[in-house]
Amino acid sequence: MAWLIILLLCVGNSSARFLDYSYIHNSSPHLEDRVFSLLVRLQLEQFYDTLLLYGDDCVFHSTSRRLNVSTVLVSSGSCNFDWNFSSLTLILSCGPEEENETNYETLVKLQLNRRLVYLLGVTKPHSVCERYSQKEQYNIAAIAEDFDRSKTIYACRHFKDPNIEEVSLLDSKPVFIEQFRNMQGKPIRTAADLLSPRSMIYVDAKTGERKTTGYVANLVNTFAQRVNATLELEVLANKLIVKEILGMVENEQLDIGITLESSFRMTFIDISSYPYILTSYCLMVQVPAKLPYNLVYAMIIDPLVLGIIFVLFCLLSVLLIYSQKMSWQDLSLANILLNDKSLRGLLGQSFPFPLNASKKLRLIFTILCFASIMLNTMYDAYLQSYFTNPPSEPEIGSFEDIGSYNRRIAMPALEVNGLIKTNNSHFREIRVEDLEIFDNMPEVYKLRDDFNLSYNYVVTGDRWRSYAELQTFFKEPVFYYARDLCFSRLIFLSVPLRRHLPYRHLFDEHMMQQHEFGFVNYWMSHSLFDMVRLDLTPLKDLSRPLAYTPSLLMDDISWILKIYLAAVVLCVLCFLLEIGVDMWKRRMNFRNQQVLST
Ligand SMILES: *[C@@H]1O[C@H](CO)[C@@H](O)[C@H](O)[C@H]1NC(C)=O
Ligand SMILES: *[C@@H]1O[C@H](CO)[C@@H](O)[C@H](O)[C@H]1NC(C)=O
Ligand SMILES: *[C@@H]1O[C@H](CO)[C@@H](O)[C@H](O)[C@H]1NC(C)=O
């Protein structure tokens, strides 16, 4: 009896197993082996550590269990969560209609992943490729039901005709290739903002085509060359051109925008590339004016220095008075303040040297002579250097006191909005009255390019580079890059890319390689040269130097002579008054004596 029960149990168990196998895995063990070896091969081609399985039940389910990778099963066809798992994911789909992903995040993150589709029945592989390419998914391969016999993998080749390549399981040809490495002349839709020197348009003399150059345009041009694509350049003439390009990229009307978007404005990281340029974002401030020559003399009269000279003068006078007779006998205020030897000595004039001077007196004369040489050469050097290069008026020290320098900051509205949106602390320090906001972006840039002195400007470090270079041709620099007045010392500038751009990774890779090779630096250093070549900037002095810079005129020092004249007149008056008083006193004396004698 017990034997019978055990036997029945065994039979029941194995039949259940058999049923289980044939019911759930309605595929031959042979097919499963083949699929398993395909999956192993794909893992060798490019490593994956996660499988994402769409569909209810097919050969992939049983095979995936044999592989030592984690598997995510999505039988409903769409994840209800964001894809937070590994990016090294292979997507398996039990049929071309099984993957109906609606989760946006997951779609974006898994756009470039490899997909293997199991085809049931009569589905044609090339229609599968088309169906996926409509969804902008290009890394597709399919196997049919008879895979165990045919050993054929149908790999989609987007740019080839026919769009299918049959790869045998035993072939060494790769199943998945980077298709966008050669785009076979397919167009890339772009539009350039034409804000020099980032992108500049010109007509090629040989072919008569319109082309772009500049350090952003060159990046896109070289990319198109590299992937063998053609550039379809849309020319927009609009004063809100940057905003329009960003809008078109967002609406998927453009693939790549030839412009730069700053980290201040960036709303979606998924419509821009890797940061292309890392730079600072500061004010471009006018170089403060030089002091006029007629104020230079007043500049060098420093009250403290004058005070020290006066104290020195008094000390020397006292010493001279004492050491002449070695007594304080002659000490009086008049002798100290009107000491002619000390005065003449300090002014570097000659003065009588006593014949039998004592050693102490000689020592004091030596000190006097030394002080005189120091003082005279110091003031001489001071004055002459200021006359050759007058000192400047003070520079703007902080964002708050921009208003006190009579120059407002001209800014495009787009940049103002970006700064407000990011709650930039420096921007909040600026008073609203000190800002002049322009809706028309190219207009501000035009004023800035012309070095118009009506405003101060805002500029990024990369753009400043060519301004600085241009200024080397000027007689005198007009603007300087205020490194203390920066909204940000590190901003990222990225190229806007369409959200579902399937070759985004190639573009990022290309960009980084251009940096590595030093091309970006080279393009940037050449930008001024390009601008001059394309007649976008004149190679001339825009600093509008004054034709005649007046040096010191007799007019400027006439006030000194006038004061001198007034002082002399005052002296004469005093002298006359003194004589008058003396004569009056004498007459009174004389009269008194006459009265006494009578
Ligand atoms: C994935 O990440 C997002 C945001 O970080 C989070 O909201 C979501 O819950 C995560 N999903 C899973 C399945 O962990
Ligand atoms: C901006 O930042 C300041 C302090 O840094 C904070 O007090 C203020 O609430 C912020 N404003 C916004 C709109 O985030
Ligand atoms: C500078 O800009 C102001 C205001 O836009 C304009 O009136 C002035 O003519 C410009 N100056 C020069 C030299 O172009």
mmCIF file with all atom_site columns, all heavy atoms in Angstrom, residues 350-369:
data_model
loop_
_atom_site.group_PDB
_atom_site.id
_atom_site.type_symbol
_atom_site.label_atom_id
_atom_site.label_alt_id
_atom_site.label_comp_id
_atom_site.label_asym_id
_atom_site.label_entity_id
_atom_site.label_seq_id
_atom_site.pdbx_PDB_ins_code
_atom_site.Cartn_x
_atom_site.Cartn_y
_atom_site.Cartn_z
_atom_site.occupancy
_atom_site.B_iso_or_equiv
_atom_site.pdbx_formal_charge
_atom_site.auth_seq_id
_atom_site.auth_comp_id
_atom_site.auth_asym_id
_atom_site.auth_atom_id
_atom_site.pdbx_PDB_model_num
ATOM 1   N N   . SER A 1 350 ? 69.807 127.087 -1.294 1.00 0.00 ? 350 SER A N   1
ATOM 2   C CA  . SER A 1 350 ? 71.067 127.315 -0.550 1.00 0.00 ? 350 SER A CA  1
ATOM 3   C C   . SER A 1 350 ? 70.810 128.264 0.619  1.00 0.00 ? 350 SER A C   1
ATOM 4   O O   . SER A 1 350 ? 69.892 129.078 0.583  1.00 0.00 ? 350 SER A O   1
ATOM 5   C CB  . SER A 1 350 ? 72.100 127.911 -1.495 1.00 0.00 ? 350 SER A CB  1
ATOM 6   O OG  . SER A 1 350 ? 71.578 129.064 -2.083 1.00 0.00 ? 350 SER A OG  1
ATOM 7   N N   . PHE A 1 351 ? 71.608 128.122 1.639  1.00 0.00 ? 351 PHE A N   1
ATOM 8   C CA  . PHE A 1 351 ? 71.475 129.002 2.806  1.00 0.00 ? 351 PHE A CA  1
ATOM 9   C C   . PHE A 1 351 ? 72.865 129.191 3.421  1.00 0.00 ? 351 PHE A C   1
ATOM 10  O O   . PHE A 1 351 ? 73.750 128.346 3.212  1.00 0.00 ? 351 PHE A O   1
ATOM 11  C CB  . PHE A 1 351 ? 70.484 128.429 3.823  1.00 0.00 ? 351 PHE A CB  1
ATOM 12  C CG  . PHE A 1 351 ? 70.805 127.044 4.295  1.00 0.00 ? 351 PHE A CG  1
ATOM 13  C CD1 . PHE A 1 351 ? 71.647 126.855 5.407  1.00 0.00 ? 351 PHE A CD1 1
ATOM 14  C CD2 . PHE A 1 351 ? 70.297 125.931 3.644  1.00 0.00 ? 351 PHE A CD2 1
ATOM 15  C CE1 . PHE A 1 351 ? 71.947 125.581 5.833  1.00 0.00 ? 351 PHE A CE1 1
ATOM 16  C CE2 . PHE A 1 351 ? 70.615 124.666 4.074  1.00 0.00 ? 351 PHE A CE2 1
ATOM 17  C CZ  . PHE A 1 351 ? 71.434 124.482 5.176  1.00 0.00 ? 351 PHE A CZ  1
ATOM 18  N N   . PRO A 1 352 ? 73.061 130.284 4.163  1.00 0.00 ? 352 PRO A N   1
ATOM 19  C CA  . PRO A 1 352 ? 74.417 130.545 4.696  1.00 0.00 ? 352 PRO A CA  1
ATOM 20  C C   . PRO A 1 352 ? 74.826 129.501 5.724  1.00 0.00 ? 352 PRO A C   1
ATOM 21  O O   . PRO A 1 352 ? 74.044 129.147 6.590  1.00 0.00 ? 352 PRO A O   1
ATOM 22  C CB  . PRO A 1 352 ? 74.275 131.930 5.328  1.00 0.00 ? 352 PRO A CB  1
ATOM 23  C CG  . PRO A 1 352 ? 72.826 132.102 5.577  1.00 0.00 ? 352 PRO A CG  1
ATOM 24  C CD  . PRO A 1 352 ? 72.125 131.366 4.512  1.00 0.00 ? 352 PRO A CD  1
ATOM 25  N N   . PHE A 1 353 ? 76.035 129.032 5.574  1.00 0.00 ? 353 PHE A N   1
ATOM 26  C CA  . PHE A 1 353 ? 76.575 128.013 6.474  1.00 0.00 ? 353 PHE A CA  1
ATOM 27  C C   . PHE A 1 353 ? 77.558 128.721 7.419  1.00 0.00 ? 353 PHE A C   1
ATOM 28  O O   . PHE A 1 353 ? 78.503 129.343 6.956  1.00 0.00 ? 353 PHE A O   1
ATOM 29  C CB  . PHE A 1 353 ? 77.307 126.978 5.622  1.00 0.00 ? 353 PHE A CB  1
ATOM 30  C CG  . PHE A 1 353 ? 77.551 125.679 6.322  1.00 0.00 ? 353 PHE A CG  1
ATOM 31  C CD1 . PHE A 1 353 ? 76.603 124.653 6.269  1.00 0.00 ? 353 PHE A CD1 1
ATOM 32  C CD2 . PHE A 1 353 ? 78.725 125.470 7.036  1.00 0.00 ? 353 PHE A CD2 1
ATOM 33  C CE1 . PHE A 1 353 ? 76.842 123.460 6.914  1.00 0.00 ? 353 PHE A CE1 1
ATOM 34  C CE2 . PHE A 1 353 ? 78.939 124.276 7.684  1.00 0.00 ? 353 PHE A CE2 1
ATOM 35  C CZ  . PHE A 1 353 ? 77.991 123.250 7.624  1.00 0.00 ? 353 PHE A CZ  1
ATOM 36  N N   . PRO A 1 354 ? 77.325 128.705 8.739  1.00 0.00 ? 354 PRO A N   1
ATOM 37  C CA  . PRO A 1 354 ? 78.223 129.439 9.649  1.00 0.00 ? 354 PRO A CA  1
ATOM 38  C C   . PRO A 1 354 ? 79.670 128.948 9.521  1.00 0.00 ? 354 PRO A C   1
ATOM 39  O O   . PRO A 1 354 ? 79.902 127.751 9.308  1.00 0.00 ? 354 PRO A O   1
ATOM 40  C CB  . PRO A 1 354 ? 77.667 129.101 11.028 1.00 0.00 ? 354 PRO A CB  1
ATOM 41  C CG  . PRO A 1 354 ? 76.320 128.538 10.800 1.00 0.00 ? 354 PRO A CG  1
ATOM 42  C CD  . PRO A 1 354 ? 76.266 128.018 9.434  1.00 0.00 ? 354 PRO A CD  1
ATOM 43  N N   . LEU A 1 355 ? 80.616 129.881 9.669  1.00 0.00 ? 355 LEU A N   1
ATOM 44  C CA  . LEU A 1 355 ? 82.026 129.543 9.425  1.00 0.00 ? 355 LEU A CA  1
ATOM 45  C C   . LEU A 1 355 ? 82.559 128.536 10.432 1.00 0.00 ? 355 LEU A C   1
ATOM 46  O O   . LEU A 1 355 ? 83.119 127.519 10.067 1.00 0.00 ? 355 LEU A O   1
ATOM 47  C CB  . LEU A 1 355 ? 82.868 130.820 9.471  1.00 0.00 ? 355 LEU A CB  1
ATOM 48  C CG  . LEU A 1 355 ? 82.896 131.590 8.155  1.00 0.00 ? 355 LEU A CG  1
ATOM 49  C CD1 . LEU A 1 355 ? 83.744 132.830 8.300  1.00 0.00 ? 355 LEU A CD1 1
ATOM 50  C CD2 . LEU A 1 355 ? 83.402 130.697 7.030  1.00 0.00 ? 355 LEU A CD2 1
ATOM 51  N N   . ASN A 1 356 ? 82.362 128.860 11.716 1.00 0.00 ? 356 ASN A N   1
ATOM 52  C CA  . ASN A 1 356 ? 82.935 127.958 12.719 1.00 0.00 ? 356 ASN A CA  1
ATOM 53  C C   . ASN A 1 356 ? 81.849 127.088 13.330 1.00 0.00 ? 356 ASN A C   1
ATOM 54  O O   . ASN A 1 356 ? 81.611 127.113 14.536 1.00 0.00 ? 356 ASN A O   1
ATOM 55  C CB  . ASN A 1 356 ? 83.616 128.758 13.837 1.00 0.00 ? 356 ASN A CB  1
ATOM 56  C CG  . ASN A 1 356 ? 84.588 129.731 13.244 1.00 0.00 ? 356 ASN A CG  1
ATOM 57  O OD1 . ASN A 1 356 ? 85.288 129.394 12.287 1.00 0.00 ? 356 ASN A OD1 1
ATOM 58  N ND2 . ASN A 1 356 ? 84.604 130.956 13.780 1.00 0.00 ? 356 ASN A ND2 1
ATOM 59  N N   . ALA A 1 357 ? 81.189 126.350 12.498 1.00 0.00 ? 357 ALA A N   1
ATOM 60  C CA  . ALA A 1 357 ? 80.069 125.541 12.999 1.00 0.00 ? 357 ALA A CA  1
ATOM 61  C C   . ALA A 1 357 ? 80.595 124.382 13.837 1.00 0.00 ? 357 ALA A C   1
ATOM 62  O O   . ALA A 1 357 ? 81.618 123.773 13.481 1.00 0.00 ? 357 ALA A O   1
ATOM 63  C CB  . ALA A 1 357 ? 79.263 125.010 11.833 1.00 0.00 ? 357 ALA A CB  1
ATOM 64  N N   . SER A 1 358 ? 79.864 124.106 14.920 1.00 0.00 ? 358 SER A N   1
ATOM 65  C CA  . SER A 1 358 ? 80.262 122.978 15.768 1.00 0.00 ? 358 SER A CA  1
ATOM 66  C C   . SER A 1 358 ? 79.863 121.669 15.077 1.00 0.00 ? 358 SER A C   1
ATOM 67  O O   . SER A 1 358 ? 79.118 121.676 14.100 1.00 0.00 ? 358 SER A O   1
ATOM 68  C CB  . SER A 1 358 ? 79.575 123.088 17.129 1.00 0.00 ? 358 SER A CB  1
ATOM 69  O OG  . SER A 1 358 ? 78.183 122.968 16.931 1.00 0.00 ? 358 SER A OG  1
ATOM 70  N N   . LYS A 1 359 ? 80.355 120.576 15.658 1.00 0.00 ? 359 LYS A N   1
ATOM 71  C CA  . LYS A 1 359 ? 80.052 119.279 15.065 1.00 0.00 ? 359 LYS A CA  1
ATOM 72  C C   . LYS A 1 359 ? 78.552 119.009 15.089 1.00 0.00 ? 359 LYS A C   1
ATOM 73  O O   . LYS A 1 359 ? 77.965 118.485 14.135 1.00 0.00 ? 359 LYS A O   1
ATOM 74  C CB  . LYS A 1 359 ? 80.763 118.181 15.855 1.00 0.00 ? 359 LYS A CB  1
ATOM 75  C CG  . LYS A 1 359 ? 82.117 117.853 15.301 1.00 0.00 ? 359 LYS A CG  1
ATOM 76  C CD  . LYS A 1 359 ? 82.715 116.687 16.052 1.00 0.00 ? 359 LYS A CD  1
ATOM 77  C CE  . LYS A 1 359 ? 84.221 116.721 15.888 1.00 0.00 ? 359 LYS A CE  1
ATOM 78  N NZ  . LYS A 1 359 ? 84.905 116.225 17.092 1.00 0.00 ? 359 LYS A NZ  1
ATOM 79  N N   . LYS A 1 360 ? 77.913 119.409 16.217 1.00 0.00 ? 360 LYS A N   1
ATOM 80  C CA  . LYS A 1 360 ? 76.476 119.144 16.356 1.00 0.00 ? 360 LYS A CA  1
ATOM 81  C C   . LYS A 1 360 ? 75.686 119.900 15.309 1.00 0.00 ? 360 LYS A C   1
ATOM 82  O O   . LYS A 1 360 ? 74.770 119.355 14.682 1.00 0.00 ? 360 LYS A O   1
ATOM 83  C CB  . LYS A 1 360 ? 76.012 119.551 17.746 1.00 0.00 ? 360 LYS A CB  1
ATOM 84  C CG  . LYS A 1 360 ? 76.535 118.622 18.802 1.00 0.00 ? 360 LYS A CG  1
ATOM 85  C CD  . LYS A 1 360 ? 75.983 118.920 20.162 1.00 0.00 ? 360 LYS A CD  1
ATOM 86  C CE  . LYS A 1 360 ? 76.634 118.029 21.197 1.00 0.00 ? 360 LYS A CE  1
ATOM 87  N NZ  . LYS A 1 360 ? 77.730 118.727 21.926 1.00 0.00 ? 360 LYS A NZ  1
ATOM 88  N N   . LEU A 1 361 ? 76.103 121.144 15.061 1.00 0.00 ? 361 LEU A N   1
ATOM 89  C CA  . LEU A 1 361 ? 75.401 121.942 14.065 1.00 0.00 ? 361 LEU A CA  1
ATOM 90  C C   . LEU A 1 361 ? 75.533 121.318 12.682 1.00 0.00 ? 361 LEU A C   1
ATOM 91  O O   . LEU A 1 361 ? 74.583 121.211 11.911 1.00 0.00 ? 361 LEU A O   1
ATOM 92  C CB  . LEU A 1 361 ? 75.967 123.368 14.068 1.00 0.00 ? 361 LEU A CB  1
ATOM 93  C CG  . LEU A 1 361 ? 75.099 124.411 13.367 1.00 0.00 ? 361 LEU A CG  1
ATOM 94  C CD1 . LEU A 1 361 ? 73.729 124.497 14.017 1.00 0.00 ? 361 LEU A CD1 1
ATOM 95  C CD2 . LEU A 1 361 ? 75.766 125.775 13.384 1.00 0.00 ? 361 LEU A CD2 1
ATOM 96  N N   . ARG A 1 362 ? 76.774 120.849 12.402 1.00 0.00 ? 362 ARG A N   1
ATOM 97  C CA  . ARG A 1 362 ? 76.977 120.218 11.095 1.00 0.00 ? 362 ARG A CA  1
ATOM 98  C C   . ARG A 1 362 ? 76.097 118.978 10.916 1.00 0.00 ? 362 ARG A C   1
ATOM 99  O O   . ARG A 1 362 ? 75.545 118.730 9.843  1.00 0.00 ? 362 ARG A O   1
ATOM 100 C CB  . ARG A 1 362 ? 78.446 119.789 10.959 1.00 0.00 ? 362 ARG A CB  1
ATOM 101 C CG  . ARG A 1 362 ? 79.339 120.923 10.600 1.00 0.00 ? 362 ARG A CG  1
ATOM 102 C CD  . ARG A 1 362 ? 80.764 120.446 10.633 1.00 0.00 ? 362 ARG A CD  1
ATOM 103 N NE  . ARG A 1 362 ? 81.621 121.580 10.920 1.00 0.00 ? 362 ARG A NE  1
ATOM 104 C CZ  . ARG A 1 362 ? 82.814 121.722 10.348 1.00 0.00 ? 362 ARG A CZ  1
ATOM 105 N NH1 . ARG A 1 362 ? 83.252 120.819 9.512  1.00 0.00 ? 362 ARG A NH1 1
ATOM 106 N NH2 . ARG A 1 362 ? 83.556 122.778 10.637 1.00 0.00 ? 362 ARG A NH2 1
ATOM 107 N N   . LEU A 1 363 ? 75.999 118.234 12.030 1.00 0.00 ? 363 LEU A N   1
ATOM 108 C CA  . LEU A 1 363 ? 75.152 117.032 11.964 1.00 0.00 ? 363 LEU A CA  1
ATOM 109 C C   . LEU A 1 363 ? 73.710 117.408 11.628 1.00 0.00 ? 363 LEU A C   1
ATOM 110 O O   . LEU A 1 363 ? 73.058 116.753 10.796 1.00 0.00 ? 363 LEU A O   1
ATOM 111 C CB  . LEU A 1 363 ? 75.172 116.330 13.319 1.00 0.00 ? 363 LEU A CB  1
ATOM 112 C CG  . LEU A 1 363 ? 76.076 115.099 13.409 1.00 0.00 ? 363 LEU A CG  1
ATOM 113 C CD1 . LEU A 1 363 ? 76.042 114.530 14.806 1.00 0.00 ? 363 LEU A CD1 1
ATOM 114 C CD2 . LEU A 1 363 ? 75.650 114.056 12.396 1.00 0.00 ? 363 LEU A CD2 1
ATOM 115 N N   . ILE A 1 364 ? 73.239 118.479 12.271 1.00 0.00 ? 364 ILE A N   1
ATOM 116 C CA  . ILE A 1 364 ? 71.848 118.879 12.019 1.00 0.00 ? 364 ILE A CA  1
ATOM 117 C C   . ILE A 1 364 ? 71.670 119.369 10.588 1.00 0.00 ? 364 ILE A C   1
ATOM 118 O O   . ILE A 1 364 ? 70.673 119.064 9.922  1.00 0.00 ? 364 ILE A O   1
ATOM 119 C CB  . ILE A 1 364 ? 71.413 119.946 13.037 1.00 0.00 ? 364 ILE A CB  1
ATOM 120 C CG1 . ILE A 1 364 ? 71.274 119.246 14.397 1.00 0.00 ? 364 ILE A CG1 1
ATOM 121 C CG2 . ILE A 1 364 ? 70.094 120.564 12.673 1.00 0.00 ? 364 ILE A CG2 1
ATOM 122 C CD1 . ILE A 1 364 ? 71.330 120.155 15.536 1.00 0.00 ? 364 ILE A CD1 1
ATOM 123 N N   . PHE A 1 365 ? 72.698 120.063 10.087 1.00 0.00 ? 365 PHE A N   1
ATOM 124 C CA  . PHE A 1 365 ? 72.626 120.466 8.676  1.00 0.00 ? 365 PHE A CA  1
ATOM 125 C C   . PHE A 1 365 ? 72.559 119.253 7.760  1.00 0.00 ? 365 PHE A C   1
ATOM 126 O O   . PHE A 1 365 ? 71.864 119.254 6.745  1.00 0.00 ? 365 PHE A O   1
ATOM 127 C CB  . PHE A 1 365 ? 73.840 121.343 8.312  1.00 0.00 ? 365 PHE A CB  1
ATOM 128 C CG  . PHE A 1 365 ? 73.664 122.772 8.757  1.00 0.00 ? 365 PHE A CG  1
ATOM 129 C CD1 . PHE A 1 365 ? 74.677 123.459 9.406  1.00 0.00 ? 365 PHE A CD1 1
ATOM 130 C CD2 . PHE A 1 365 ? 72.464 123.436 8.511  1.00 0.00 ? 365 PHE A CD2 1
ATOM 131 C CE1 . PHE A 1 365 ? 74.507 124.770 9.804  1.00 0.00 ? 365 PHE A CE1 1
ATOM 132 C CE2 . PHE A 1 365 ? 72.294 124.747 8.922  1.00 0.00 ? 365 PHE A CE2 1
ATOM 133 C CZ  . PHE A 1 365 ? 73.309 125.424 9.571  1.00 0.00 ? 365 PHE A CZ  1
ATOM 134 N N   . THR A 1 366 ? 73.296 118.212 8.129  1.00 0.00 ? 366 THR A N   1
ATOM 135 C CA  . THR A 1 366 ? 73.267 116.990 7.307  1.00 0.00 ? 366 THR A CA  1
ATOM 136 C C   . THR A 1 366 ? 71.859 116.402 7.271  1.00 0.00 ? 366 THR A C   1
ATOM 137 O O   . THR A 1 366 ? 71.350 116.032 6.195  1.00 0.00 ? 366 THR A O   1
ATOM 138 C CB  . THR A 1 366 ? 74.238 115.938 7.875  1.00 0.00 ? 366 THR A CB  1
ATOM 139 O OG1 . THR A 1 366 ? 75.450 116.586 8.184  1.00 0.00 ? 366 THR A OG1 1
ATOM 140 C CG2 . THR A 1 366 ? 74.469 114.813 6.907  1.00 0.00 ? 366 THR A CG2 1
ATOM 141 N N   . ILE A 1 367 ? 71.256 116.361 8.472  1.00 0.00 ? 367 ILE A N   1
ATOM 142 C CA  . ILE A 1 367 ? 69.883 115.833 8.522  1.00 0.00 ? 367 ILE A CA  1
ATOM 143 C C   . ILE A 1 367 ? 68.963 116.678 7.655  1.00 0.00 ? 367 ILE A C   1
ATOM 144 O O   . ILE A 1 367 ? 68.136 116.163 6.883  1.00 0.00 ? 367 ILE A O   1
ATOM 145 C CB  . ILE A 1 367 ? 69.364 115.827 9.977  1.00 0.00 ? 367 ILE A CB  1
ATOM 146 C CG1 . ILE A 1 367 ? 70.166 114.843 10.815 1.00 0.00 ? 367 ILE A CG1 1
ATOM 147 C CG2 . ILE A 1 367 ? 67.896 115.467 10.024 1.00 0.00 ? 367 ILE A CG2 1
ATOM 148 C CD1 . ILE A 1 367 ? 69.824 114.889 12.279 1.00 0.00 ? 367 ILE A CD1 1
ATOM 149 N N   . LEU A 1 368 ? 69.149 117.973 7.734  1.00 0.00 ? 368 LEU A N   1
ATOM 150 C CA  . LEU A 1 368 ? 68.316 118.897 6.961  1.00 0.00 ? 368 LEU A CA  1
ATOM 151 C C   . LEU A 1 368 ? 68.462 118.634 5.455  1.00 0.00 ? 368 LEU A C   1
ATOM 152 O O   . LEU A 1 368 ? 67.482 118.548 4.713  1.00 0.00 ? 368 LEU A O   1
ATOM 153 C CB  . LEU A 1 368 ? 68.724 120.330 7.314  1.00 0.00 ? 368 LEU A CB  1
ATOM 154 C CG  . LEU A 1 368 ? 67.875 121.439 6.710  1.00 0.00 ? 368 LEU A CG  1
ATOM 155 C CD1 . LEU A 1 368 ? 66.450 121.343 7.218  1.00 0.00 ? 368 LEU A CD1 1
ATOM 156 C CD2 . LEU A 1 368 ? 68.443 122.803 7.067  1.00 0.00 ? 368 LEU A CD2 1
ATOM 157 N N   . CYS A 1 369 ? 69.736 118.499 5.040  1.00 0.00 ? 369 CYS A N   1
ATOM 158 C CA  . CYS A 1 369 ? 69.982 118.265 3.607  1.00 0.00 ? 369 CYS A CA  1
ATOM 159 C C   . CYS A 1 369 ? 69.359 116.952 3.157  1.00 0.00 ? 369 CYS A C   1
ATOM 160 O O   . CYS A 1 369 ? 68.763 116.861 2.080  1.00 0.00 ? 369 CYS A O   1
ATOM 161 C CB  . CYS A 1 369 ? 71.484 118.235 3.325  1.00 0.00 ? 369 CYS A CB  1
ATOM 162 S SG  . CYS A 1 369 ? 72.209 119.836 3.477  1.00 0.00 ? 369 CYS A SG  1
#
